[in-house]
Amino acid sequence: MIINTRPVEYDFEMYRAFDGCGHQLLACPVLTSRPSPWPKTALNNIDALIVTSQIAVDVIARNPVSRDLPVFAVGSATASAARNANFSDVVDGGGTAETLLSVIDAAPFRAGLYASAHHVSRDLALARPNRIRRVAVYEMEAAESLPHAVVDAFHSDEEIIVPFYSPRSFQVFESLLTKHKLDDRLSRATAVSIHARVLNQRTLRWGHMHIAPKPDGIGMIEAMQKAA
């Protein structure tokens, strides 16, 4: 059984990857997106957009932003979202923050707007303060409880796989496990993370832990398939 902790905007990726493979998927988004008011001056003196999530693309697309601005996306899924939003010049940053920064370093734009969530695991603007300005265009609100089906799954004898794409989602999920008194039900559970740092603040004892071989969506699917 796979418990999908990603926001609902990413459900299709997980279901596409595991459809028909015999593993039940339970939706359990621990973070929910809420758009922030679009700053009127967000695009002042900006000649490029930088995005590290499909949610950021969705928020941008709902605002008066020129589709002619070049978009630098962290990876292929985010790049596809930008193209689907009719941006004409989209660059795939290679799948990680580090490779995206390398692409940005070689790009000719003067000033890029990094449209992000309020909480980010890596602030690209701090890494390149002379060329990148960050504006938080959405907030990820933490869930206050686990779905009944997820609680029941932890009380069953099923093997459970839980993917985590950010330190915050992992911390929220662990806090919810504690809230529901499921701390001692983790012997059959495997945490799969996109990067080792996602698990750095763990407080509970999981049965198994796996790190994706590559810190991107493909690497995560590969790690979950091996764990299954």
Side-chain angles (χ1 to χ4, degrees), residues 50-66:
I50 299 164
V51 287
T52 55
S53 76
Q54 297 171 53
I55 297 174
V57 174
D58 292 341
V59 173
I60 291 171
R62 292 197 293 268
N63 285 281
V65 178
S66 171

Side-chain angles (χ1 to χ4, degrees), residues 5-16:
T5 61
R6 298 201 84 185
V8 295
E9 290 89 348
Y10 299 97
D11 274 353
F12 74 96
E13 292 181 9
M14 197 73 68
Y15 285 96
R16 182 177 59 186

Side-chain angles (χ1 to χ4, degrees), residues 31 45 57-58 100 109 112 114 120 123 131 140 148 187 221-222:
L31 297 169
N45 302 314
V57 174
D58 292 341
L100 175 58
F109 70 83
Y114 173 28
V120 292
D123 189 342
R131 297 188 70 205
M140 299 302 292
H148 292 301
S187 61
I221 296 299
E222 180 181 338

Side-chain angles (χ1 to χ4, degrees), residues 192-215:
V192 178
S193 74
I194 196 167
H195 194 282
R197 65 173 176 270
V198 169
L199 308 177
N200 282 349
Q201 303 299 318
R202 66 182 180 272
T203 60
L204 304 181
R205 188 178 184 87
W206 291 72
H208 302 281
M209 297 186 133
H210 289 296
I211 312 297
K214 291 178 60 180

Side-chain angles (χ1 to χ4, degrees), residues 38-46 49 64-66 69 113 133:
W38 183 261
K40 294 181 179 179
T41 60
L43 296 174
N44 286 2
N45 302 314
I46 292 296
L49 299 172
V65 178
S66 171
L69 280 172
L113 173 69
R133 174 161 58 90

Side-chain angles (χ1 to χ4, degrees), residues 40-116:
K40 294 181 179 179
T41 60
L43 296 174
N44 286 2
N45 302 314
I46 292 296
D47 59 343
L49 299 172
I50 299 164
V51 287
T52 55
S53 76
Q54 297 171 53
I55 297 174
V57 174
D58 292 341
V59 173
I60 291 171
R62 292 197 293 268
N63 285 281
V65 178
S66 171
R67 298 305 195 266
D68 292 329
L69 280 172
V71 176
F72 294 84
V74 68
S76 58
T78 308
S80 293
R83 294 187 186 102
N84 290 338
N86 296 319
F87 284 95
S88 58
D89 183 3
V90 179
V91 179
D92 182 339
T96 70
E98 288 304 322
T99 57
L100 175 58
L101 285 171
S102 296
V103 170
I104 287 171
D105 288 342
F109 70 83
R110 300 185 314 277
L113 173 69
Y114 173 28
S116 75

